[in-house]
Amino acid sequence: MEKASCAVIQDLLPLYVDQVVSEDTKKLVNQHLQTCRACQKEYEQMSQTMSVPVERDVKVFEKINQKWNRKKVLLVAGSVFLTALLCTAVFMYVFYFEKLIPYSEDLIVIEQQKDGKLISNYYGKSHAGIHMTHPIEVEINGEIKNITLMNYVQTIGNSPTSNFLQKDERIGPLTFQVPESKSVDAVYYGHFDVEKVMLTQEQTWKELLQEMTLIWEK
Ligand SMILES: [Zn+2]
């Protein structure tokens, strides 16, 4: 191959740097660069200015990075949300998932006051709630009676034995007045679903009261 002039080589250099030349041209330029300092310098300068695509790569990388950051932020937000949800669920479970407190004579005592009103005394450390009906007219053994259904419920946070959040500085029982108690003939304790009896009649009063405990009677 005949020796190429510097002018020809320098014309070819941009293509050579971009690597879009044929193998023959590449060889030609390679050979020339090995022997010619001037063209070598030209080549080096050109390679440096050609490093622009590298910068573009950096930008692309930054974009990817930004995207990833956004993803990360979403992930963090997501896990914060999930954590909050989980905490709420645990909180709900601890404080709102109600379980019936089983009746015991030491724990729950119905007491008739001098004025005839009924009071429910609760001797446990805490409870989550009390359910009590107004007197309901029911026929028991051929007799019409006004009965009150009641129960105390606990949660994990509030139970007869736990002082979960509050100090128990109470002296004596926690009292609750039985509504319209002067007309009440009997108080039944246990789980009850009045709707089942009154609205859907899936259950008879007899069936319901058999599952409950008679804890006070006139
Ligand atoms: Zn040259």
Side-chain angles (χ1 to χ4, degrees):
M1 208 173 282
E2 64 183 71
K3 212 167 182 256
S5 74
C6 287
V8 171
I9 292 301
Q10 280 171 24
D11 279 349
L12 288 172
L13 271 180
L15 301 173
Y16 175 83
V17 169
D18 274 352
Q19 296 182 346
V20 289
V21 290
S22 67
E23 277 303 304
D24 285 348
T25 311
K26 202 173 165 183
K27 266 184 203 164
L28 185 80
V29 175
N30 275 344
Q31 275 169 7
H32 185 90
L33 285 182
Q34 271 162 27
T35 55
C36 176
R37 277 236 142 172
C39 288
Q40 217 172 25
K41 249 191 173 173
E42 192 73 17
Y43 166 71
E44 274 163 18
Q45 272 181 349
M46 213 174 272
S47 324
Q48 273 167 19
T49 42
M50 283 301 178
S51 67
V52 172
V54 175
E55 256 172 55
R56 203 169 49 207
D57 280 354
V58 168
K59 270 178 194 157
V60 168
F61 179 72
E62 271 172 7
K63 252 184 203 167
I64 290 170
N65 217 18
Q66 273 172 11
K67 243 185 214 170
W68 188 80
N69 276 339
R70 212 169 301 149
K71 230 183 211 176
K72 197 163 76 171
V73 167
L74 280 177
L75 264 174
V76 170
S79 67
V80 166
F81 176 70
L82 267 181
T83 308
L85 202 71
L86 194 70
C87 284
T88 311
V90 168
F91 182 83
M92 293 288 281
Y93 182 71
V94 168
F95 289 97
Y96 291 97
F97 183 73
E98 296 182 344
K99 220 179 100 193
L100 185 86
I101 296 175
Y103 174 73
S104 98
E105 285 176 10
D106 309 332
L107 197 62
I108 298 144
V109 178
I110 302 292
E111 182 192 342
Q112 190 160 31
Q113 292 181 320
K114 282 174 190 164
D115 60 4
K117 284 178 181 168
L118 289 183
I119 297 288
S120 176
N121 294 303
Y122 178 80
Y123 289 91
K125 280 182 178 167
S126 83
H127 64 81
I130 176 167
H131 299 145
M132 202 177 269
T133 66
H134 282 253
I136 305 166
E137 255 184 35
V138 179
E139 195 187 316
I140 300 170
N141 301 328
E143 266 183 278
I144 299 289
K145 287 190 170 177
N146 283 315
I147 63 163
T148 290
L149 310 179
M150 68 167 289
N151 63 46
Y152 285 92
V153 289
Q154 63 176 320
T155 58
I156 291 173
N158 291 302
S159 75
T161 49
S162 86
N163 278 338
F164 198 61
L165 288 177
Q166 73 268 40
K167 256 197 214 156
D168 190 12
E169 284 161 354
R170 173 160 49 90
I171 302 162
L174 205 79
T175 61
F176 187 87
Q177 195 174 318
V178 178
E180 300 168 50
S181 59
K182 282 184 180 175
S183 64
V184 173
D185 297 311
V187 178
Y188 285 82
Y189 189 93
H191 175 77
F192 59 90
D193 192 344
V194 178
E195 280 183 16
K196 245 186 182 175
V197 183
M198 298 186 94
L199 299 176
T200 63
Q201 294 185 327
E202 277 174 34
Q203 209 176 14
T204 65
W205 281 107
K206 207 181 166 189
E207 281 166 356
L208 178 70
L209 295 182
Q210 266 170 3
E211 288 170 14
M212 298 184 76
T213 312
L214 177 66
I215 62 169
W216 184 85
E217 209 173 7
K218 208 175 236 175

